[in-house]
């Protein structure tokens, strides 16, 4: 999805902010179905898809084949 997909660099997609959008809606704008993901972090916190995204927030989206190995260390927030 990102223009730079080299494993040695950050893969970043920049989107314009749309007030009131949830993580799930942002993923839809990128053409990513929720079932294609394993873990999603919003500003470093493991969160549910229903969480609202604010201007300046950063999402870390991991594909299904890169599931979080140590997921018991994180509590998913609603």
């Amino acid at each position: 999805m990102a223009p730079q997909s080299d494993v040695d660099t950050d893969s970043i997609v920049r989107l314009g902010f749309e007030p009131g959008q949830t993580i799930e809606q942002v993923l839809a704008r990128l053409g990513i179905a929720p079932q294609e993901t394993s873990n999603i972090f919003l500003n470093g916190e493991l969160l549910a898809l229903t969480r609202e995204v604010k201007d300046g927030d950063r999402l870390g989206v991991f594909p299904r084949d890169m599931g979080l190995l140590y997921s018991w260390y994180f509590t998913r927030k609603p």
Side-chain angles (χ1 to χ4, degrees):
M1 301 295 169
Q4 176 56 270
S5 60
D6 186 332
V7 296
D8 293 331
T9 62
D10 290 338
S11 296
I12 298 172
V13 174
R14 297 189 190 281
L15 289 178
F17 175 65
E18 293 188 13
Q21 284 202 324
T22 64
I23 293 172
E24 187 170 23
Q25 291 168 322
V26 171
L27 291 179
R29 287 177 59 198
L30 291 169
I32 301 172
Q35 61 270 21
E36 294 179 50
T37 67
S38 61
N39 300 101
I40 300 174
F41 291 84
L42 177 64
N43 300 322
E45 291 184 304
L46 185 61
L47 294 173
L49 294 171
T50 55
R51 186 69 172 265
E52 187 176 323
V53 178
K54 302 203 180 333
D55 193 19
D57 281 349
R58 293 183 59 142
L59 287 176
V61 181
F62 292 85
R64 177 68 54 201
D65 63 353
M66 290 183 66
L68 188 60
L69 221 56
Y70 300 100
S71 60
W72 54 85
Y73 288 116
F74 299 94
T75 302
R76 187 177 306 270
K77 295 187 178 180

